[in-house]
Amino acid sequence: MPRPAPKAPVRPPCQLSLFPETAALVRVDPAANCWRFYHLSLQPDLFGGTALVRQWGRIGTAGRQVCELHDDAGQALDALVRQLRAKRRRGYRDRTAG
């Protein structure tokens, strides 16, 4: 008697995010000796709010990090989008894979 085919594991449905919760930007200008990175991420805090964690510095270093606390995820997301706009105006671009 043939064995039944093994069942594939059931994965829970995945909700696609319309709004970014993380962003990785770089600014590379060899002529100006400028090799910078900027990371943004939203993290839940212990008090029911959301923190916007910003990390920046020269590529290859740990850089600096600041954590901004917000009352809810909507305010933190607004702050993330404002930071993204400001950094893109200053010449930062999305980090590409590879």
Side-chain angles (χ1 to χ4, degrees):
M1 177 173 214
R3 296 179 97 187
K7 293 184 178 180
V10 176
R11 294 191 303 180
C14 177
Q15 175 67 40
L16 295 175
S17 177
L18 296 176
F19 304 104
E21 294 184 0
T22 62
L25 304 170
V26 293
R27 181 175 158 203
V28 176
D29 184 5
N33 194 23
C34 180
W35 307 81
R36 305 266 178 201
F37 73 90
Y38 205 90
H39 294 242
L40 298 161
S41 66
L42 298 180
Q43 303 289 328
D45 69 5
L46 295 175
F47 305 107
T50 303
L52 172 61
V53 180
R54 300 185 299 141
Q55 184 180 11
W56 69 93
R58 189 170 176 91
I59 294 175
T61 66
R64 294 181 179 212
Q65 183 171 330
V66 170
C67 183
E68 297 177 6
L69 300 177
H70 296 277
D71 292 334
D72 62 22
Q75 291 176 352
L77 185 61
D78 289 343
L80 183 143
V81 170
R82 277 194 307 273
Q83 286 291 326
L84 277 176
R85 277 194 209 121
K87 293 302 167 187
R88 286 184 177 139
R89 277 195 308 263
R90 295 199 45 112
Y92 284 82
R93 299 291 169 240
D94 292 333
R95 185 177 70 187
T96 58

